[in-house]
Amino acid sequence: MYSFINDEIIENARNGEISREEALSLMYIDPFALFSFANELRKDVVGDKVTYVVNRNIYLTNMCAGSCAFCAFKAKNGYILSTEDVLKEVEKAHVAGATEVCVQGGYIPQLNMDYYAELFDAIRSNYPAINMHALSPMEVHYAASMDKMALEEACGILKDCGILTLTGTSAEILVDRVRKIICPDKITRQQWIDTIEASHNVGLRTNSTIMYGHVETVEERLEHIFTIREIQQRTGGFTELIPMPFMPYNNKVGEEMMQSGKFMTTGIEDLRLQAIARIILNGHVDNIQAAWVKLGKKLAQTALYCGANDLGGTLMEDKITTASGGTNGEFTPAEEMEWMIRQTGRVPVQRNALYEEIR
């Protein structure tokens, strides 16, 4: 079945020990051999269950002090939601049946630790049954720095306010060469790692992400995934990896790409990354998400046969993706998610951010 993959690589992958050189060699083999191997590893680890979460995104602000060249979601004069405003949005999510709100902050001075602590404590007090999945390492690092607070202290405050999981966004590609091009004002690779590990050390879990398909090389994509594996070996705090293809519209990096004749990632390229992520992270991070809002629903379904086992959230809105030209919508109801999963021959399971089943 895996005539394109030698036995030593297969054995190393099954043992969670595939090397960078071996992983790189897999990026150039017949894609269907790669997909088949990743699919078998997926089945061995998580079986035929495919998970999703009923959630809603809440954007605390549309302003940002950064100058990320890939971002189309920011304004110089925008809004900042008050605690009362956020509670109204959480109420809408609650009425719609959401079990989670994904609260995204901002890279602006007004959003400091006092703001976050008051906000999350209010959400927990008023909606104790709703999980708060919130903030990126960038936002936590920035707020902690403004308040001259150690990272573990800041993460401990968030945990005490009821945060269950932080997001693993703002990772982009964890290679400083790439970050200096696309997000020079953002936290460095090491600062991202330090913030993630601080959160894991105080008992917060996080997901992890990779945003690929812009200025990085194939080797740098793999370096990112191996970095995730190495952190997981130290902390065990990651719940999943979410591969996210870069959206090239309405931003500087994308405009320069398209002028050079390079466009969005192709479907095969997206599926290769889903597969290689499963293979590299086998035995370390069990869950690989096929984000329908980025891939589109049909390709996300296909990814379930290339190593993925999760479709992400119902969302209710995704302003960041649509601002960058995403055309896959902002909301998929739970009934449709389950139908999509069943049509692949798999078993739908609603989960929370910790991948605990919700019945």
Side-chain angles (χ1 to χ4, degrees), residues 232-280:
Q232 186 74 337
Q233 289 172 320
R234 293 193 292 269
T235 70
F238 286 128
T239 57
E240 64 180 341
L241 175 70
I242 310 173
M244 302 187 299
F246 170 60
M247 299 289 168
Y249 306 102
N250 305 323
N251 60 74
K252 181 181 177 182
V253 170
E255 289 171 0
E256 292 176 355
M257 273 178 49
M258 291 186 286
Q259 287 172 2
S260 72
K262 181 181 178 182
F263 297 86
M264 282 187 66
T265 55
T266 64
I268 291 295
E269 190 176 1
D270 293 325
L271 297 177
R272 275 189 188 277
L273 194 65
Q274 292 276 336
I276 200 65
R278 168 62 68 185
I279 292 167
I280 293 171

Side-chain angles (χ1 to χ4, degrees), residues 169-353:
T169 55
S170 72
E172 326 316 348
I173 296 290
L174 291 171
V175 175
D176 281 330
R177 182 199 75 83
V178 175
R179 301 180 78 79
K180 288 176 182 177
I181 297 171
I182 67 171
C183 52
D185 297 336
K186 217 168 200 176
I187 56 177
T188 65
R189 161 193 160 90
Q190 191 58 51
Q191 288 170 333
W192 189 92
I193 293 171
D194 291 344
T195 309
I196 284 289
E197 292 194 350
S199 69
H200 292 177
N201 289 342
V202 302
L204 290 171
R205 303 288 298 280
T206 73
N207 58 29
S208 59
T209 62
I210 175 173
M211 187 191 74
Y212 63 95
H214 37 86
V215 304
E216 85 287 353
T217 65
V218 171
E219 290 85 353
E220 287 167 333
R221 292 180 190 178
L222 297 183
E223 179 61 30
H224 179 108
I225 301 172
F226 276 100
T227 297
I228 298 300
R229 189 175 85 174
E230 289 160 1
I231 296 170
Q232 186 74 337
Q233 289 172 320
R234 293 193 292 269
T235 70
F238 286 128
T239 57
E240 64 180 341
L241 175 70
I242 310 173
M244 302 187 299
F246 170 60
M247 299 289 168
Y249 306 102
N250 305 323
N251 60 74
K252 181 181 177 182
V253 170
E255 289 171 0
E256 292 176 355
M257 273 178 49
M258 291 186 286
Q259 287 172 2
S260 72
K262 181 181 178 182
F263 297 86
M264 282 187 66
T265 55
T266 64
I268 291 295
E269 190 176 1
D270 293 325
L271 297 177
R272 275 189 188 277
L273 194 65
Q274 292 276 336
I276 200 65
R278 168 62 68 185
I279 292 167
I280 293 171
L281 296 177
N282 185 51
H284 304 283
V285 179
D286 289 344
N287 304 297
I288 307 295
Q289 183 183 129
W292 65 266
V293 73
K294 301 288 187 182
L295 298 174
K297 294 174 184 177
K298 292 182 179 180
L299 192 60
Q301 280 183 300
T302 306
L304 298 178
Y305 279 86
C306 302
N309 67 296
D310 182 79
L311 287 182
T314 55
L315 297 183
M316 296 177 74
E317 61 180 324
D318 186 350
K319 295 179 180 178
I320 293 175
T321 298
T322 54
S324 294
T327 59
N328 298 310
E330 296 183 83
F331 173 59
T332 297
E335 294 80 6
E336 185 177 354
M337 295 282 267
E338 297 210 353
W339 177 80
M340 288 166 57
I341 293 164
R342 289 194 183 97
Q343 291 303 303
T344 67
R346 303 285 169 78
V347 180
V349 174
Q350 187 183 158
R351 63 164 176 88
N352 63 16

Side-chain angles (χ1 to χ4, degrees), residues 61 158 259 291 303:
T61 182
L158 295 174
Q259 287 172 2

Side-chain angles (χ1 to χ4, degrees), residues 30 34 44 51 56 63 77 81 83 124 142 181 207 240 262 266 273 297 301 335 349 353:
D30 179 284
L34 183 70
D44 290 344
T51 48
R56 181 185 182 172
M63 294 186 289
N77 296 300
L81 296 184
T83 296
R124 177 184 59 177
Y142 183 67
I181 297 171
N207 58 29
E240 64 180 341
K262 181 181 178 182
T266 64
L273 194 65
K297 294 174 184 177
Q301 280 183 300
E335 294 80 6
V349 174

Side-chain angles (χ1 to χ4, degrees), residues 1-19:
M1 184 183 298
Y2 311 122
S3 58
F4 293 91
I5 308 175
N6 71 50
D7 291 341
E8 184 177 359
I9 293 179
I10 291 173
E11 185 67 17
N12 287 341
R14 290 193 184 283
N15 292 331
E17 298 173 351
I18 191 170
S19 70

Side-chain angles (χ1 to χ4, degrees), residues 49-114:
K49 292 181 179 179
V50 174
T51 48
Y52 71 96
V53 59
V54 180
N55 65 351
R56 181 185 182 172
N57 285 343
I58 297 176
Y59 301 87
L60 299 179
T61 182
N62 63 344
M63 294 186 289
C64 183
S67 59
C68 296
F70 61 82
C71 183
F73 182 70
K74 59 185 175 183
K76 292 184 178 179
N77 296 300
Y79 66 82
I80 300 174
L81 296 184
S82 67
T83 296
E84 292 72 24
D85 293 331
V86 174
L87 290 177
K88 291 176 183 177
E89 298 303 304
V90 178
E91 172 64 17
K92 294 176 185 176
H94 173 67
V95 170
T99 61
E100 172 186 298
V101 288
C102 181
V103 182
Q104 306 191 51
Y107 188 45
I108 54 175
Q110 297 94 316
L111 303 191
N112 57 19
M113 287 304 301
D114 287 341

